[in-house]
Amino acid sequence: MAITSANQLELLQTAEAVAREKMIDPDLVIQAMEESLARAAKSRYGSDLDIRVKIDRKTGRATFARIRTVVEDEAVENHHAQITVKQAKSYKSDPQIGDEIIDEVPPVDLGRIAAQSAKQVILQKVREAERDRQFDEFKDRKGTIINGVVKREEYGNIIVDIGRGEGILRRNEKIGRESYRPNDRIRAYIKDVRREARGPQVFLSRTDPQFMAELFKMEVPEIYDGIIEIKAVARDPGSRAKIAVISYDNSIDPVGACVGMRGSRVQAVVNELQGEKIDIIPWNQDQATFLVNALQPAEVSKVVIDEEAGKIEVVVPDEQLSLAIGRRGQNVRLASQLTALDIDIMTEADESARRQAEFAERTNLFMETLDIDEMMAQLLVSEGFTNLEEVAYVDPEELLSIDGFDEDTAAELQARARDHLEEANRKALESARALGLEDSLANFEGLTPQMLEALAKDGIKTLEDFATCADWELAGGWTTVNGQRVKDEGVLEKFDVSLEEAQHLVMTARVMLGWVDPTELETAEEEEETEGEA
């Protein structure tokens, strides 16, 4: 194939045809042609030469040029593609380093092998341009719903024709046991778009919670307009789902708007999700209220929230327990996903039994340590006293407010409580010293003898040992392992030491040892105060 006037225009026509077929920029095809012709010219004139080809976008004429770059005399490495300043003066009056000397060379005739090579270069460039076009088109559609046509099934995965490309619906992204045949229409959620060696991959999903959210956005105009917002979604694909919504217009009921006239809107979503039952729940900023809503249709008697642990206890009537838990724990699991809290469900009978056990435990504690009868101990527990410290150091007026307690009784109780605590402290300190506790830690302010004993049992015996501890090692905490929240027991957790208190104690120890600048401790305390005010 020779580049002659006879086929110059044919180049442009070919480029236009390929660009239209692949839906890419014609200029990209022409650039590929230029590169393939340049490669063919190098094989003809020498691979060391820097030969470039320029195809005129109007006439189709291909110009072959040899390029030589001006460099310093001692920098010449390839005399075919480089030229010194002195040599360049033959071509330019005032050549500068970095200038290019351009000489036109005769066009080459493409032999069979060269033509085949040029074709491969063009096809490769066209494929790359097509992949870039597909990636650019679908990357901005990530997180939206797309309609497609099933092309084929490969090992349980569905390959979907999505217009200008293909998407893959993996086996685990299908709802239940749904099956598709070639040419079936399918609607799916674009979960991810990634560049890969084989081209851009569009990953589809029908099980993702956001697929349901996007379906509601299509069916409910108020969600699309932003009047109603979907705050949270939890799904057990193909079986049951919960969706929490809030309205920013007091005149519009968010639940009613999502349900639609005679359930028409929610039914359209249910049909698309293969009959998945959907609970539409009003979202509430108050965690307890939101949780009560999330556990529908079960009724809730009481909610107890442990914010530090991120757990929540829910008390339900005995007959509501199975409904609250749901089949195979489905209802409570979805409610937990929706609220992002660990939920423990117990019946009123269980909660009552636990309260009675705690009452009996505290009663026995006071009876044994204060040497009082059961009636008096029960009176203390009933008034909210939970431990000896509260009895020993409370304002005497609080004890006098209890029926049957006079000044002498109150004073005697406090004296006995203090004596017991002092004796317990003495024994704890002796035990800690026997374990090797050193004075540097024993004299550290903020730690009780019982805390010192617990630290010594854990091998923390010096101030240096204590200063190397992390706050969560002392106060305890929660970590997520394989999607499950796991409790990390802290050495001082049973003494109700918070993470903030543990951090302050450790930082103070580091300052005392000179490991940390005192200003860092002041900065940390200021940040804690700012967070507390917020």
Side-chain angles (χ1 to χ4, degrees), residues 90-241:
S90 305
Y91 301 91
K92 294 182 71 172
S93 58
D94 184 24
Q96 302 293 321
I97 293 174
D99 286 354
E100 291 183 339
I101 306 300
I102 302 173
D103 299 320
E104 190 167 340
V105 296
V108 297
D109 290 338
L110 295 184
R112 182 177 61 81
I113 296 175
Q116 189 67 23
S117 175
K119 180 181 178 183
Q120 291 299 324
V121 171
I122 294 171
L123 288 175
Q124 179 63 26
K125 286 290 181 181
V126 168
R127 273 197 295 268
E128 288 175 5
E130 191 177 11
R131 287 173 178 176
D132 288 340
R133 191 264 308 154
Q134 285 183 9
F135 181 78
D136 291 338
E137 178 178 348
F138 289 110
K139 71 176 181 179
D140 297 328
R141 298 180 67 180
K142 179 180 174 182
T144 63
I145 288 177
I146 193 167
N147 293 312
V149 176
V150 174
K151 290 185 75 172
R152 63 188 181 279
E153 183 173 349
E154 295 178 353
Y155 307 107
N157 303 324
I158 304 296
I159 307 302
V160 182
D161 183 350
I162 49 177
R164 297 185 179 182
E166 288 184 352
I168 180 170
L169 180 67
R170 287 178 170 165
R171 185 187 312 172
N172 61 338
E173 297 291 348
K174 294 191 291 185
I175 298 173
R177 296 179 179 177
E178 63 183 4
S179 59
Y180 295 95
R181 295 179 178 179
N183 298 322
D184 282 354
R185 296 201 61 80
I186 187 172
R187 183 185 287 182
Y189 176 77
I190 300 179
K191 190 173 184 177
D192 197 12
V193 181
R194 294 201 296 262
R195 286 186 187 272
E196 293 190 1
R198 53 185 172 172
Q201 296 294 301
V202 181
F203 295 98
L204 307 177
S205 174
R206 285 175 55 81
T207 60
D208 194 285
Q210 289 306 311
F211 178 48
M212 188 174 75
E214 289 296 317
L215 287 173
F216 269 105
K217 189 182 291 186
M218 294 169 67
E219 296 294 337
V220 184
E222 291 86 350
I223 296 177
Y224 183 82
D225 294 336
I227 299 170
I228 293 174
E229 182 185 354
I230 297 173
K231 300 290 285 186
V233 183
R235 287 183 67 193
D236 192 349
S239 178
R240 195 175 193 89

Side-chain angles (χ1 to χ4, degrees), residues 411-431:
E412 179 63 23
L413 282 175
Q414 289 199 306
R416 290 182 186 181
R418 287 169 183 164
D419 288 345
H420 191 280
L421 289 171
E422 287 172 6
E423 179 63 17
N425 287 344
R426 185 186 65 77
K427 288 182 179 179
L429 195 56
E430 283 182 2
S431 173

Side-chain angles (χ1 to χ4, degrees), residues 389-400:
E389 285 82 358
E390 292 178 0
V391 176
Y393 304 113
V394 76
D395 189 325
E397 290 296 325
E398 291 197 31
L399 289 171
L400 292 172

Side-chain angles (χ1 to χ4, degrees), residues 344-358:
D344 289 335
I345 293 185
M346 63 178 67
T347 63
E348 290 176 345
D350 291 338
E351 204 244 349
S352 176
R354 191 182 68 173
R355 279 205 315 267
Q356 288 174 9
E358 288 176 354

